Amino acid sequence: MRRRQAEAILTATDRIPGPSFLGEGIGNFWQDAANPKGIWRRTTLESYRSANTRWETMLDIDALSRAEGKDWVWKGADCLAPDETRCLVSLSDGGKDAVVVREFNTATGLWVEDGFILPEGKHRLEWLDRDTLLVATDFGPNTLTESGYPFIVKSLKRGQTLAQATEVYRGDIGDGGYGVSPNVYRNGDGAVLAVLIQRPLDTFRAETWELRGAIAHRLQLPERVNVRGVLGQMLVLTLDEDWSRAGRSWKAGSLVAADLARLRTVPGPGDLPSRIPDEVLFAPDERQSIEDVAVLDDGDVVATLYDNVRGRLVVFERGQAGWHERNVPVPDNVAVSLGDTSRNTGRFFYSVEGFLTPSTLSLANTQTGATETLRAAPARFDASTHVVEQFEATSSDGTKIPYFVVRPKDLVMDGHAPTIIYGYGGFQVSKPPIYIPEMGKLWLENGGVYVNANIRGGGEFGPAWHQSVLKEHRQLAFDDYAAVARDLQTRGITSPRRTGIYGRSNGGVLTSVAVTQHPELINAAVIESPLIDMLRYHELPAGASWIGEYGDPRIPEEAAYIARYSAYQQLRPDTEYPRVYITTNTRDDRVHPGHARKFAARLGEQGHDHLYYEETSGGHSNDADPVANARRWARHYVYLSQQLMD
């Protein structure tokens, strides 16, 4: 039954089709029961507004998979502005991060005969012009870092092979992070404003270089910075560290506009000092953060902000007296997400949602100030029985950790409520209050409680919230999670017998550690696509790219603090653990399935009851097939119900 319920939700034809601006129209990638691999389609904005949208299919991934005998999974398209008829389509075999790239013509609906084709790899690529790409990829022996990511950028002309491409930038084989990345910034008319290259030094630190012609020059930017866009000759940045220059200072977390000419170590042709000084658009307080940012040609900057994990949508406008902000009205206590933008028209999509409130999609126009609601998703579960509350737990060092509780309105606080605590706590990824329809149907409607723990390591309160638990301080994130569990039990919402936890990827580190450090607090754990053997994570594909987050086990003093929490090493045969459920994916080339396999094997060797399931397609993102994804969620909730409900 749960599988059927989940499948009905994930394949429903009345879902909101996520829109993107595509040339003069709207594009969308769509999956349902009839098209599990999906179709890439388009329509006009006028038709999208209507109740009966007329879609034109451009590319059918199910048909392509059948014709080519491949398990193709859509991984997106990059279309060249302004007409956006030439698109680089990324296809994954079975859901892996590594993709094949092919050039597609949306005007003809055909693959381009002399088009760009890149073999399978973890590419970083951008259009430079209609006949040139900037490509960072595997160019042969000794062109990838130990994490398997590229460190060389080349210019690839139409008709050339990768071997014939011209090198324009080279990092170092010892670089960390996710590989060197070229970024071409354009205005809405397609004119190139800047070409920047990010050279990662580790997971979070990077050098920023500007490519002018065939020569790259380093910019005078801090190593922890995110370039959000280009406005004229100004770079719009968010800072992940404090920054001082030219007698001015900005604190970490700020949104700043900086003059590109003054950032150059080597002046560009015709460089003149900007008449507009470097300015801060927004400086958050300790309970605020910036999430999405978009730069528009009319000079406005749109951003989603979070204030105590509650969303706001703001347009920053430049006037004669500097920048000022204008709030776009959104409901209280919701998550706000910025969608695609049209730079030259000032239009942008945005959506709002809450734990009990389905998503609503709107279109705004900064030039007119108008907003209109385009779509409202139907309710997928009965939310009338539940209420949302926000509490704080006190962690081991006294820090207040916020968390949301979605519970029945009439809940008697005697500790009997089956409760799932979700956590992530890493990589500056925020977890705001979003609508999770399958969770509502399969868990809340059955009387369950859902908890979203905003522990440190996330981005809910900006870079400091994340950086406070890096490397040797990681234990604090685990303490935060345990503090939330204890606080829930102290309040009488649940009890150890009724408490379960769920986390995936980095959240798999969290949940596996919770099992080994605090088995007395929980009776269930879904550990999905996890990192678990933290003393060897760097030896598995992509693992070394995360050394900036966890530390380097090859360094003895860093191995020492990692070993103190690594769940694979901390399992004990004489400790009583709950029956955990470990699940992974054979095609996961981001977090290797070996972590999950080894943990399950060691549990078995030590005589601990556990469940293990390995899906054979879908990859780390689980985006290959909504029907398969429904089965995945059904397995999770059947297990949690067995463990936590009578």
Side-chain angles (χ1 to χ4, degrees):
M1 180 181 72
R2 283 181 170 84
R3 186 182 71 182
R4 290 194 301 271
Q5 290 174 328
E7 187 173 327
I9 289 170
L10 296 178
T11 64
T13 57
D14 57 353
R15 303 183 337 264
I16 295 178
S20 61
F21 292 102
L22 183 63
E24 297 298 318
I26 299 296
N28 164 255
F29 182 72
W30 180 260
Q31 293 172 293
D32 57 26
N35 307 279
K37 292 294 179 187
I39 53 176
W40 188 32
R41 57 189 187 171
R42 65 182 170 191
T43 189
T44 64
L45 179 57
E46 291 71 21
S47 180
Y48 187 85
R49 284 187 171 108
S50 70
N52 297 301
T53 302
R54 297 179 184 176
W55 292 101
E56 173 195 357
T57 297
M58 295 183 289
L59 192 56
D60 185 328
I61 306 302
D62 293 271
L64 182 68
S65 296
R66 289 191 297 269
E68 299 187 349
K70 290 281 192 176
D71 183 18
W72 288 131
V73 175
W74 173 265
K75 290 291 185 176
D78 178 14
C79 300
L80 179 62
D83 61 317
E84 297 186 313
T85 59
R86 292 296 182 100
C87 302
L88 300 172
V89 172
S90 295
L91 298 169
S92 163
D93 183 8
K96 294 181 289 186
D97 285 356
V99 297
V100 170
V101 177
R102 301 178 184 174
E103 186 179 357
F104 186 80
N105 189 328
T106 61
T108 64
L110 299 171
W111 300 110
V112 177
E113 188 171 341
D114 64 340
F116 290 105
I117 298 177
L118 274 69
E120 183 178 81
K122 294 184 178 181
H123 314 297
R124 307 288 184 264
L125 71 165
E126 286 269 342
W127 288 101
L128 188 58
D129 58 47
R130 190 177 180 86
D131 295 308
T132 313
L133 303 181
L134 292 178
V135 179
T137 189
D138 183 352
F139 292 109
N142 300 316
T143 63
L144 297 178
T145 66
E146 66 173 325
S147 303
Y149 291 111
F151 63 91
I152 299 169
V153 180
K154 294 188 179 185
S155 171
L156 179 67
K157 296 288 187 181
R158 186 176 300 280
Q160 287 184 328
T161 65
L162 286 175
Q164 296 169 323
T166 302
E167 183 175 317
V168 297
Y169 180 80
R170 176 180 289 258
D172 185 82
I173 198 168
D175 288 348
Y178 303 108
V180 65
S181 178
N183 299 278
V184 179
Y185 296 91
R186 289 182 167 83
N187 63 18
D189 295 325
V192 175
L193 302 175
V195 180
L196 304 182
I197 294 172
Q198 291 282 77
R199 178 205 174 188
L201 304 176
D202 62 21
T203 316
F204 306 108
R205 297 183 307 113
E207 296 174 352
T208 305
W209 294 69
E210 182 187 20
L211 184 65
R212 301 201 301 272
I215 302 175
H217 301 280
R218 187 175 176 184
L219 296 180
Q220 300 177 84
L221 283 170
E223 292 178 346
R224 292 178 181 265
V225 67
N226 301 290
V227 179
R228 301 295 194 134
V230 179
L231 185 61
Q233 67 179 71
M234 307 289 285
L235 293 188
V236 178
L237 316 164
T238 49
L239 304 175
D240 286 347
E241 64 178 79
D242 294 343
W243 185 33
S244 298
R245 76 184 196 97
R248 303 192 64 190
S249 298
W250 301 277
K251 68 176 184 177
S254 297
L255 179 64
V256 174
D259 178 18
L260 176 58
R262 291 204 293 263
L263 295 173
R264 290 172 174 149
T265 52
V266 177
D271 269 357
L272 294 173
S274 172
R275 289 176 296 174
I276 303 170
D278 298 348
E279 291 184 343
V280 60
L281 283 68
F282 181 76
D285 65 28
E286 62 180 14
R287 304 297 277 186
Q288 294 177 318
S289 66
I290 298 170
E291 288 290 323
D292 305 321
V293 178
V295 179
L296 304 176
D297 286 352
D298 60 8
D300 292 337
V301 177
V302 184
T304 54
L305 312 177
Y306 278 89
D307 195 331
N308 202 27
V309 207
R310 300 161 189 264
R312 292 170 54 201
L313 180 61
V314 175
V315 177
F316 295 97
E317 301 168 326
R318 185 197 290 148
Q320 291 185 348
W323 293 88
H324 64 276
E325 62 181 72
R326 173 172 59 84
N327 286 303
V328 178
V330 298
D332 294 330
N333 305 326
V334 295
V336 184
S337 300
L338 185 61
D340 200 22
T341 60
S342 173
R343 283 196 58 135
N344 55 348
T345 67
R347 295 176 300 177
F348 63 91
F349 295 106
Y350 68 94
S351 59
V352 299
E353 60 187 312
F355 287 121
L356 302 177
T357 308
S359 179
T360 299
L361 175 73
S362 298
L363 178 66
N365 189 322
T366 59
Q367 296 178 4
T368 65
T371 61
E372 60 175 311
T373 299
L374 298 177
R375 307 269 177 134
R380 300 297 181 191
F381 61 91
D382 181 6
S384 66
T385 58
H386 279 63
V387 65
V388 178
E389 297 173 309
Q390 188 181 34
F391 299 112
E392 288 185 340
T394 302
S395 192
S396 57
D397 63 350
T399 301
K400 300 298 183 182
I401 309 302
Y403 66 93
F404 290 100
V405 176
V406 189
R407 65 166 180 84
K409 292 178 180 177
D410 59 356
L411 181 66
V412 177
M413 302 296 183
D414 61 0
H416 78 280
T419 300
I420 301 169
I421 309 174
Y422 171 72
Y424 187 76
F427 296 90
Q428 205 167 322
V429 175
S430 301
K431 295 297 177 181
I434 62 172
Y435 191 74
I436 311 172
E438 66 277 7
M439 182 275 294
K441 189 68 180 177
L442 277 61
W443 188 251
L444 297 183
E445 277 197 358
N446 290 309
V449 171
Y450 181 79
V451 175
N452 187 58
N454 299 117
I455 65 175
R456 281 174 287 185
E460 288 86 350
F461 301 136
W465 194 247
H466 167 233
Q467 293 168 20
S468 63
V469 295
L470 292 181
K471 296 186 175 182
E472 68 270 25
H473 305 296
R474 198 66 179 188
Q475 182 60 45
L476 290 172
F478 309 137
D479 293 347
D480 294 353
Y481 200 47
V484 170
R486 290 193 190 94
D487 199 66
L488 287 162
Q489 293 167 13
T490 299
R491 292 178 187 277
I493 293 174
T494 189
S495 62
R497 162 69 180 85
R498 304 294 185 180
T499 299
I501 56 177
Y502 167 65
R504 64 182 301 273
S505 192
N506 172 75
V509 183
L510 176 69
T511 48
S512 63
V513 170
V515 168
T516 53
Q517 290 190 353
H518 297 289
E520 78 283 358
L521 293 177
I522 59 176
N523 194 42
V526 177
I527 305 171
E528 185 172 32
S529 304
L531 286 87
I532 296 183
D533 182 357
M534 298 304 293
L535 286 181
R536 297 182 183 86
Y537 80 91
H538 62 288
E539 297 180 4
L540 294 171
S545 63
W546 308 316
I547 283 173
E549 181 85 13
Y550 304 119
D552 190 340
R554 293 167 295 192
I555 300 173
E557 54 268 32
E558 298 189 16
Y561 63 69
I562 293 171
R564 284 195 288 271
Y565 69 76
S566 180
Y568 185 69
Q569 283 75 28
Q570 290 299 325
L571 273 179
R572 297 290 182 264
D574 55 351
T575 300
E576 184 175 345
Y577 302 112
R579 182 179 71 155
V580 301
Y581 171 42
I582 308 139
T583 180
T584 187
N585 195 291
T586 306
R587 298 293 184 93
D588 191 338
D589 57 347
R590 192 182 316 174
V591 177
H592 196 279
H595 283 280
R597 295 168 183 165
K598 289 172 62 175
F599 194 59
R602 180 158 287 187
L603 283 166
E605 290 168 359
Q606 294 186 0
H608 302 300
D609 190 14
H610 66 282
L611 299 173
Y612 178 82
Y613 185 85
E614 183 168 323
E615 183 59 83
T616 57
S617 67
H620 190 73
S621 301
N622 295 295
D623 55 0
D625 181 336
V627 177
N629 204 18
R631 293 196 299 267
R632 165 181 164 251
W633 284 114
R635 288 192 294 269
H636 292 4
Y637 286 108
V638 166
Y639 159 77
L640 289 164
S641 298
Q642 290 174 346
Q643 291 294 113
L644 305 178
M645 292 181 173
D646 293 328

